[in-house]
């Protein structure tokens, strides 16, 4: 008999083994073994990935048995959960009913049950069914990640109930176990004790006693086979030979062996005889049907594998280099063996060195095989994809992004400047000293899209700024009041290089985190370093109006205090140039004092260049400046024009003191900052002015592939110019429905540039695809795109790591990933684009020649008309002076007048025919130069 209150036998008691014949103990032993085997099987499935040994008799098996017993005692059931697993069915059934209706078991010491939501599972990569399963339930989580989650989400985090236990845990990693059967009432439980973790990861393994092994597996006894008549059925299916075998002999003459085969051609119908089947009624074959049965059963094999799990550890090895004395080195170098070795391998070394100098072994040959036509691709992969977006609700929301600049050396770091969206009248109305928010520059990183990495304070709104390309820790910015500001971020360079924002500062301890309240903890996590400026220029010697553009000069382009370029300048990167609405271009030198702090409030420009109209009637309002630079490489362009300085020595004559400037009047002016001594002091520095924009020019960008090609943007159109060509723009876009704001050339494709508009769209122009309109137009934001900055990060190929930073008027920075067809240049694209620009230059020359010819032709026609009028007046005077013989004088006079007029008409027809011949000759020469004549005409 079995009773629910019967004592549970002990595994170590010899009376409870399989050999005991007592009937009263049999049900209890069977139920206990059944319950223990169930618990062991569940844990073995969970610990299979970690290599835990759960064989019968081990300490882990005994622990599971004790836990099962304690679980049954807590629920009020003294026996196992099995329904009908042995005798005493009523008692067993009562036990199973109690097991199914009882609540979850109490967790042992060191185990903390937790319920993790789907968001937390995705955050820590413990998704049920993917990262953790019932077979592999264990996941190691770093303690730092859990602490970061506690500090970020506080009481709403799933790990908050175990906060104190997590802080007290001495290890660096937690063991998170997936509870598929909700053993402790939750879907996961966390090991907050090292003993509990070691019990699961490294259980003590013991050998199985021989009695238990004999009890588990018993050898099968052999029995004598008894025939029941099945062999007769098998013998009936045997194939018995009931006739003699036929012997066939195949032979061949010996002379035919090895003979050459002769093949010939013939028609398929020759030698072909069709034999169609037919039924012969006189011949019939009766077939005997045989009933056969086949059964295929796969062979079952039982196997078990036990693998030991080893925890990864960090190791360090310290070894000393092999050192030899000078006597040993001399002996080796003077030995015959080293001489023979050098003579043996010298030829191969020379061949390898020659090969390395001739052939580029790192070149990808597959990219040189051919280029597909990527400009005609269609689909979502041909458009700009938004990679990330940055906005700060406190500092940048509802403010206009006036400038964007990428960090020259650190990947994924970009800075923006934000200004108030107010017009000049609104600023005057609110007052000079009115500031609703601080003027800041925010430095963002791809690794933290929520909080800026660094904030730079400024005295006024920063309209433009730029990193120093040779010393990225120095940032120069231009304010709306005309002052220049300098920042030094060298102390925060290591922070910008980190790939992940830490959850807390390095100096904080566990006690400090535990003592912080929820508000203080949140402020500590989201705290961003704020940096004050190092130096600001003197307000008296600065610009009289807002600064619109600022650029660092190239390293080898060092200017003297008179504006002349030094022959061996090496400190050009310490000088910068600024433009302002006051109509002046100013050059600044950071070496004005010994250090940056000494420049504060005393810094002044060493050269000023006022730009006024060519007739000195008014001063221009400058918006952008473009200085010609030297490309660092002939084959490729740099990522940013500010970084295109040549690394080698550059001759000073390669630089020029002439530059382009865009104005608010819509004019593109070409000027020289070096004034001629012989000229008057108040003479204008402007050499040419082009009025093609019907509105203020907002941007001016020079091509990174062609130093003499510029892109101007303003009003409702954009234009492409060439330095030295005064006939007009090479390419002009059609007027658009919205205002165009910014334009940038592609750093990897010579024929691609981007245009931002006030309606929040970006136009992509590909000159190889079409030149009369944009290749694609894509909507990026609901507000105007105020600034564009393109960045190409170096990599194995040019088809990756190109981004566009687009800032809008709402204070949001959009990071766009450029697709492959807009980054990978086609074969000979640079030559094609250069030929396109040259053809446009010749077209402008042809149009200018036609205009000059038409002007001369019009003057000739006017002269002929004047001569005809004078002749007609002289004729009338002659007629009035003749005697009044009205009857006979009239007709001769008429005839004479007609001949005179006729003579003049014949002369004009000859000149017109001659002019037409000259025009046809000029047109033929132009078509022949462009290669547009048909073969017959040439």
């Amino acid at each position: 008999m079995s009773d629910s209150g019967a004592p549970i036998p002990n595994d170590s008691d010899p009376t409870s083994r399989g050999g005991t014949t007592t009937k009263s103990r049999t049900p209890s032993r069977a139920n206990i073994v059944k319950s223990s085997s169930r618990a062991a099987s569940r844990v073995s499935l969970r610990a299979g990935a970690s290599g835990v040994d759960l064989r019968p008799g081990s300490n882990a098996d005994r622990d599971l048995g004790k836990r099962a017993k304690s679980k049954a005692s807590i629920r009020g059931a003294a026996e196992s959960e099995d329904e009908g697993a042995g005798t005493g069915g009523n008692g067993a059934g009562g036990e199973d009913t109690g097991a199914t209706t009882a609540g979850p078991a109490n967790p042992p010491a060191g185990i903390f049950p937790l319920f993790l939501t789907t968001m937390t599972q995705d955050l820590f990569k413990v998704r049920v069914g993917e990262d953790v399963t019932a077979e592999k339930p264990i996941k190691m989580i770093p303690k730092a990640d859990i602490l970061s989650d506690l500090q970020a989400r506080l009481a709403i985090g799933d790990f908050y109930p175990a906060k104190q236990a997590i802080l007290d845990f001495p290890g660096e990693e937690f063991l998170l176990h997936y509870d598929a059967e909700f053993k402790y009432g939750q879907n996961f439980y966390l090991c907050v004790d090292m003993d509990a973790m070691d019990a699961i990861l490294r259980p003590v393994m013991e050998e199985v006693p021989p009695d238990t092994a004999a009890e588990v597996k018993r050898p099968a006894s052999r029995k004598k086979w008894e025939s029941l008549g099945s062999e007769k059925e098998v013998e009936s299916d045997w194939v018995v030979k009931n006739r003699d075998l036929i012997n066939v002999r195949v032979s061949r003459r010996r002379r035919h062996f090895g003979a050459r085969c002769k093949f010939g051609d013939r028609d398929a119908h020759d030698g072909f005889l069709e034999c169609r089947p037919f039924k012969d009624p006189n011949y019939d074959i009766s077939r005997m049907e045989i009933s056969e049965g086949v059964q295929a059963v796969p062979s079952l094999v039982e196997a078990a594998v036990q693998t030991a799990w080893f925890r990864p550890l960090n190791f360090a090895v310290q070894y000393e280099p092999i050192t030899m004395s000078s006597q040993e080195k001399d002996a080796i170098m003077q030995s015959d063996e080293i001489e023979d070795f050098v003579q043996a391998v010298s030829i191969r070394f020379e061949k390898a060195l020659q090969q390395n100098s001739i052939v580029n072994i790192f070149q990808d040959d597959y990219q040189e095989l051919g280029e597909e036509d990527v400009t005609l691709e269609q689909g979502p992969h041909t458009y700009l994809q938004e990679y990330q977006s940055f906005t700060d609700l406190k500092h940048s929301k509802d403010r206009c992004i006036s400038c964007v600049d990428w960090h020259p050396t650190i990947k994924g770091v970009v800075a923006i400047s934000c200004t108030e969206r107010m017009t000049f009248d609104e600023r005057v109305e609110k007052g000079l000293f009115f500031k609703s928010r601080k003027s800041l520059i925010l430095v963002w990183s791809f690794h933290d899209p929520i909080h800026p990495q660094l904030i730079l304070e400024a005295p006024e709104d920063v309209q433009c700024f730029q990193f120093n390309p040779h010393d990225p820790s120095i940032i120069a910015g231009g304010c709306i009041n005309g002052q220049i500001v300098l920042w030094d971020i060298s102390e925060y360079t290591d922070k910008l290089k980190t790939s992940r924002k830490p959850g807390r500062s390095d100096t904080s301890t566990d006690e400090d985190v535990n003592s912080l309240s929820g508000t203080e903890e949140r402020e500590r996590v989201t705290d961003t370093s704020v940096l004050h400026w190092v130096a600001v220029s003197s307000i008296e010697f600065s610009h009289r109006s807002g600064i619109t553009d600022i650029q660092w000069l190239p390293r080898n382009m060092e200017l003297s205090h008179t504006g002349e370029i030094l022959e061996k300048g090496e400190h050009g990167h310490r000088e910068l140039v600024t433009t302002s609405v006051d109509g002046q271009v100013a050059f600044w030198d950071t070496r004005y004092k010994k250090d940056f702090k000494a420049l504060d409030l005393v810094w002044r420009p060493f050269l000023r260049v006022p730009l006024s109209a060519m007739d000195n009637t008014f001063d221009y309002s400058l918006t952008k400046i473009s200085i010609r630079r030297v490309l660092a490489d002939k084959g490729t362009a740099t990522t940013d024009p500010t970084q295109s300085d040549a690394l080698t020595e550059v001759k000073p004559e390669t630089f020029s003191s002439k530059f382009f400037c865009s104005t608010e009047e819509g004019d593109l002016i070409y000027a020289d900052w070096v004034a001629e001594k012989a000229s008057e002091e108040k003479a204008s520095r402007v050499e040419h002015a082009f009025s093609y924009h019907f509105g203020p020019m907002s941007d001016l960008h020079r091509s990174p592939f062609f130093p003499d090609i510029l892109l101007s943007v303003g009003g409702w159109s954009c234009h492409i110019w060439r330095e030295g060509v005064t006939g007009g723009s090479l390419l002009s876009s059609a007027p658009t429905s919205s205002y165009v704001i910014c334009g940038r050339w592609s750093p990897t494709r010579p024929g691609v540039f981007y245009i931002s508009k006030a309606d929040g769209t970006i136009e992509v122009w590909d000159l190889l695809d079409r030149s009369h309109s944009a290749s694609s137009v894509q909507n990026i934001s609901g507000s105007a795109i105020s600034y564009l900055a393109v960045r190409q990060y170096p990599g194995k190929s040019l088809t990756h790591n190109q981004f566009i930073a687009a800032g809008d008027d709402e204070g949001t920075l959009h990071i766009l990933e450029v697709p492959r067809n807009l980054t990978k240049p086609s074969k000979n694209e640079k030559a094609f684009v250069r030929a396109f620009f040259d053809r446009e230059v010749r077209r402008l020359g042809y149009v200018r020649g036609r205009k000059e010819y038409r002007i001369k032709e019009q003057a000739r026609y006017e002269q002929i008309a004047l001569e005809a009028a004078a002749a007609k007046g002289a004729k009338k005077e002659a007629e009035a002076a003749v005697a009044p013989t009205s009857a006979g004088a009239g007709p001769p006079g008429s005839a004479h007048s007609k001949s005179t007029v006729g003579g003049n008409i014949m002369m004009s027809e000859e000149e017109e025919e001659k002019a037409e011949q000259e025009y046809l000759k000029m047109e033929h020469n132009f078509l022949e130069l462009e290669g547009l004549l048909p073969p017959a005409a040439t």
Side-chain angles (χ1 to χ4, degrees):
M1 293 186 299
S2 73
D3 187 33
S4 61
I8 301 175
N10 191 5
D11 294 342
S12 61
D13 189 1
T15 59
S16 62
R17 299 186 182 275
T20 306
T21 59
T22 306
K23 295 183 178 180
S24 61
R25 296 181 179 179
T26 303
S28 300
R29 176 63 183 174
N31 294 335
I32 290 172
V33 172
K34 186 68 175 180
S35 177
S36 300
S37 63
R38 285 185 175 181
S41 62
R42 289 196 297 267
V43 178
S44 63
L45 288 175
R46 299 171 187 170
S50 60
V52 179
D53 189 5
L54 299 175
R55 293 178 296 181
S58 61
N59 286 349
D61 183 44
R62 292 180 181 179
D63 294 342
L64 291 173
K66 293 178 182 179
R67 293 178 183 176
K69 294 173 186 178
S70 62
K71 176 181 177 182
S73 62
I74 291 173
R75 295 179 179 176
E79 302 295 333
S80 66
E81 303 171 353
D82 191 6
E83 290 185 13
T87 60
N90 295 334
E95 293 165 2
D96 185 64
T97 304
T100 56
T101 59
N106 293 329
I111 300 299
F112 201 100
L114 293 172
F115 182 81
L116 302 185
T117 59
T118 306
M119 183 179 67
T120 306
Q121 295 177 14
D122 295 339
L123 182 62
F124 290 90
K125 297 183 180 180
V126 289
R127 294 184 293 272
V128 176
E130 298 180 7
D131 300 324
V132 294
T133 59
E135 292 77 11
K136 297 180 179 180
I138 295 176
K139 187 73 174 182
M140 303 300 295
I141 300 178
K143 182 179 178 181
D145 294 349
I146 299 180
L147 291 177
S148 300
D149 182 73
L150 288 174
Q151 296 171 3
R153 296 196 292 175
L154 301 178
I156 64 174
D158 296 340
F159 290 97
Y160 188 79
K163 176 181 178 181
Q164 187 61 39
I166 292 172
L167 294 176
D168 297 338
F169 184 71
E172 297 296 333
E173 291 183 337
F174 282 95
L175 187 145
L176 186 65
H177 200 290
Y178 169 54
D179 193 356
E181 299 180 359
F182 288 79
K183 180 178 179 180
Y184 300 125
Q186 304 295 345
N187 58 350
F188 288 88
Y189 60 83
L190 186 70
C191 292
V192 295
D193 192 1
M194 297 299 294
D195 297 337
M197 186 184 301
D198 294 339
I200 296 178
L201 297 179
R202 292 183 291 274
V204 180
M205 301 180 183
E206 295 183 0
E207 297 181 357
V208 181
D211 298 341
T212 307
E215 180 183 353
V216 175
K217 185 176 181 181
R218 298 177 181 178
S221 60
R222 296 183 179 181
K223 296 182 181 180
K224 186 178 180 180
W225 180 76
E226 297 179 2
S227 176
L228 300 179
S230 59
E231 69 276 4
K232 295 181 180 180
E233 184 178 355
V234 175
E235 291 177 358
S236 63
D237 294 339
W238 289 355
V239 178
V240 182
K241 299 178 181 179
N242 52 10
R243 61 181 179 82
D244 298 337
L245 299 178
I246 300 175
N247 297 326
V248 179
R249 181 181 179 184
V250 179
S251 62
R252 190 179 185 183
R253 295 183 179 274
R254 184 174 180 85
R255 65 174 179 270
H256 293 164
F257 284 96
R260 181 176 298 178
C261 299
K262 296 182 180 180
F263 300 96
D265 298 335
R266 69 176 185 180
D267 196 356
H269 297 284
D270 297 344
F272 172 76
L273 180 61
E274 184 179 6
C275 298
R276 295 184 178 180
F278 65 95
K279 186 176 182 180
D280 190 356
N282 299 326
Y283 182 77
D284 192 8
I285 299 177
S286 60
R287 298 181 179 180
M288 181 177 62
E289 295 181 358
I290 300 176
S291 178
E292 295 182 356
V294 178
Q295 183 178 4
V297 180
S299 59
L300 300 179
V301 178
E302 294 184 359
V305 178
Q306 182 70 21
T307 57
W309 181 78
F310 297 96
R311 185 178 181 183
L313 298 176
N314 295 328
F315 291 96
V317 179
Q318 182 70 25
Y319 64 93
E320 296 181 358
I322 300 175
T323 58
M324 293 185 297
S325 62
S326 58
Q327 293 80 6
E328 293 177 352
K329 294 180 181 178
D330 295 339
I332 293 175
M333 296 301 297
Q334 294 176 4
S335 61
D336 297 336
E337 291 80 0
I338 193 67
E339 184 178 357
D340 297 339
F341 170 75
V342 172
Q343 291 179 358
V345 301
S346 59
I347 299 177
R348 286 182 290 174
F349 264 87
E350 292 176 358
K351 184 177 180 181
L353 293 175
Q354 292 177 358
Q355 183 178 2
N356 291 340
S357 61
I358 296 174
V359 181
N360 184 11
I361 61 176
F362 299 103
Q363 184 179 2
D364 189 0
D365 296 333
Y366 289 100
Q367 293 185 355
E368 303 297 332
L369 292 179
E371 299 290 340
E372 58 272 14
D373 192 2
V374 297
T375 58
L376 301 179
E377 294 181 0
Q378 299 294 333
H381 62 280
T382 60
Y383 296 95
L384 302 175
Q385 301 291 333
E386 185 163 358
Y387 182 78
Q388 214 167 11
S389 62
F390 303 96
T391 183
D392 191 274
L393 300 179
K394 182 179 179 181
H395 302 296
S396 64
K397 185 175 178 59
D398 297 332
R399 302 183 75 181
C400 176
I401 296 179
S402 59
C403 186
V404 180
D405 193 21
W406 294 86
H407 196 282
T409 57
I410 303 177
K411 184 176 181 181
V413 176
V414 60
I416 62 173
S417 61
C418 303
T419 59
E420 296 289 343
R421 294 185 299 177
M422 292 190 300
T423 61
F424 179 78
D425 297 336
E426 292 176 352
R427 291 181 182 272
V428 172
E429 181 179 357
K430 291 183 178 181
L432 180 63
F433 299 99
F434 172 78
K435 290 180 65 175
S436 60
R437 284 182 285 185
K438 293 183 179 180
S439 301
L440 304 172
I441 291 180
L442 307 180
V443 181
W444 294 94
S445 176
F446 284 2
H447 306 291
D448 190 358
I450 300 177
H451 309 292
Q453 300 295 306
L454 187 62
I455 296 179
L456 309 180
E457 288 185 344
E460 292 292 340
D461 286 346
V462 179
Q463 290 188 328
C464 56
F465 70 95
Q466 189 180 44
F467 287 92
N468 191 328
H470 298 279
D471 189 3
S473 61
I474 304 301
I475 303 176
C479 298
I480 195 173
N481 62 347
Q483 289 181 294
I484 303 295
V485 187
L486 289 178
W487 293 273
D488 187 0
I489 62 171
S490 56
E491 299 179 359
Y492 302 91
T493 303
D494 296 336
K495 179 181 178 181
L496 297 178
K497 291 181 180 179
T498 56
S499 60
R500 183 173 181 178
K501 185 178 178 64
R504 55 178 179 173
S505 61
D506 298 336
T507 59
S508 62
T509 59
D510 296 341
E511 292 77 6
D512 297 336
V513 176
N514 191 19
S515 62
L516 291 175
S517 61
T519 306
E520 294 176 353
E521 194 170 351
R522 186 182 298 107
E523 291 178 355
R524 186 183 184 91
V525 173
T526 60
D527 188 17
T528 303
S529 302
V530 180
L531 181 63
H532 193 73
W533 64 84
V534 177
V536 63
S537 63
S538 174
I539 189 67
E540 299 178 359
F541 299 98
S542 299
H543 288 281
R544 299 189 303 271
S545 185
I547 298 176
T548 55
D549 194 11
I550 184 170
Q551 293 182 15
W552 292 92
L553 296 181
R555 176 186 291 272
N556 298 319
M557 190 176 177
E558 184 178 357
L559 302 182
S560 63
H561 290 278
T562 59
E564 297 179 356
I565 302 175
L566 301 180
E567 294 183 359
K568 297 182 179 180
E570 297 180 356
H571 302 283
H573 61 287
R574 297 298 182 185
E575 299 176 349
L576 50 87
V577 57
T578 58
T579 60
S580 175
V581 186
D582 60 359
Q584 290 187 354
V585 177
F587 292 88
W588 308 72
D589 191 353
T590 57
R591 298 169 299 167
Y592 182 73
K593 296 292 183 180
K594 294 182 179 180
D595 54 358
F596 291 152
K597 294 183 179 180
L599 295 174
D600 193 18
L601 299 178
V602 297
W603 194 20
R604 63 177 66 183
F606 67 87
L607 180 63
R608 292 179 182 270
V609 181
L611 297 180
S612 58
M614 301 182 67
D615 54 358
N616 288 326
T617 56
F618 63 93
D619 293 335
Y620 285 107
S621 299
L622 308 179
T623 57
K624 296 292 180 180
I625 187 173
S626 178
I627 299 176
R628 184 166 182 172
R629 302 170 184 268
V630 178
L631 294 179
D633 188 6
K634 297 181 180 180
T636 59
T638 55
T639 303
D640 193 351
T642 61
Q643 306 174 20
S644 61
D645 308 339
L647 300 179
T648 59
E649 184 179 358
V650 181
K651 297 181 180 180
E653 54 266 18
T654 57
F655 296 102
S656 175
S657 60
K658 297 181 180 181
F659 59 95
F660 282 92
C661 271
S662 59
T663 64
E664 287 188 349
E665 291 80 12
D667 296 341
L668 177 65
I669 59 177
Y670 186 63
D672 191 346
W673 70 64
V674 178
E676 297 182 1
K677 297 181 180 180
S679 61
E680 299 180 1
E681 296 181 358
K682 296 184 179 180
S684 176
R685 305 285 184 92
V686 178
E687 297 182 1
H688 299 284
F690 309 95
S691 300
Y692 274 69
H693 291 274
F694 300 98
M697 294 181 63
S698 55
D699 202 0
L700 183 65
H701 191 223
R702 194 179 291 266
S703 174
F705 291 91
F706 311 109
D708 56 344
I709 299 298
L710 293 94
L711 173 65
S712 64
V713 175
W716 293 268
S717 61
C718 61
H719 303 271
I720 296 179
W721 309 83
R722 185 169 184 176
E723 188 173 357
V725 178
T726 60
S729 63
L730 305 184
L731 179 65
S732 300
S733 66
T736 60
S737 58
S738 60
Y739 195 80
V740 292
I741 301 177
C742 188
R744 285 293 181 272
W745 288 95
S746 172
T748 55
R749 289 197 55 189
V752 175
F753 59 91
Y754 308 95
I755 301 296
S756 66
K757 302 170 64 177
D759 57 358
T761 60
I762 292 180
E763 293 183 351
V764 181
W765 287 71
D766 190 354
L767 299 180
L768 295 185
D769 182 18
R770 64 187 73 172
S771 59
H772 63 281
S773 63
S775 299
S776 63
V777 180
Q778 189 171 349
N779 190 6
I780 303 300
S781 174
S783 58
I785 303 297
S786 57
Y787 204 89
L788 288 180
V790 187
R791 178 65 174 173
Q792 170 69 35
Y793 286 110
K796 295 182 179 179
S797 62
L798 296 178
T799 59
H800 302 287
N801 302 329
Q802 186 174 136
F803 299 96
I804 298 177
D808 58 12
D809 279 348
E810 298 294 337
T812 302
L813 178 65
H814 304 271
I815 304 298
L816 308 175
E817 187 175 4
V818 182
R820 178 174 177 270
N821 65 321
L822 296 179
T823 58
K824 184 179 181 181
S826 60
K827 193 173 184 180
N828 298 328
E829 180 176 351
K830 186 177 181 180
F832 291 155
V833 177
R834 171 58 75 181
F836 171 77
F837 291 147
D838 294 341
R839 185 171 64 251
E840 293 299 319
V841 171
R842 292 193 296 268
R843 179 187 62 83
L844 290 176
Y846 172 74
V847 172
R848 183 174 62 254
R850 289 293 303 161
K851 288 182 179 180
E852 295 176 356
Y853 175 77
R854 290 300 181 188
I855 292 174
K856 294 179 181 179
E857 191 177 29
Q858 183 178 2
R860 187 183 302 113
Y861 286 151
E862 291 177 356
Q863 183 67 23
I864 293 173
L866 291 175
E867 292 177 357
K872 187 175 181 180
K875 173 197 167 186
K876 290 182 178 180
E877 292 177 358
E879 290 178 353
V882 177
T885 55
S886 58
S894 299
H896 177 72
S897 175
K898 184 175 181 179
S899 63
T900 304
V901 175
N904 292 333
I905 293 175
M906 289 299 295
M907 185 182 297
S908 62
E909 289 180 356
E910 292 178 358
E911 292 181 354
E912 184 176 359
E913 184 178 359
K914 183 179 180 181
E916 186 68 21
Q917 294 295 332
E918 292 180 358
Y919 168 74
L920 293 177
K921 184 178 180 181
M922 182 185 298
E923 184 178 13
H924 182 273
N925 295 335
F926 175 75
L927 295 177
E928 184 178 5
L929 181 62
E930 295 295 332
L932 301 178
L933 288 177
T938 58

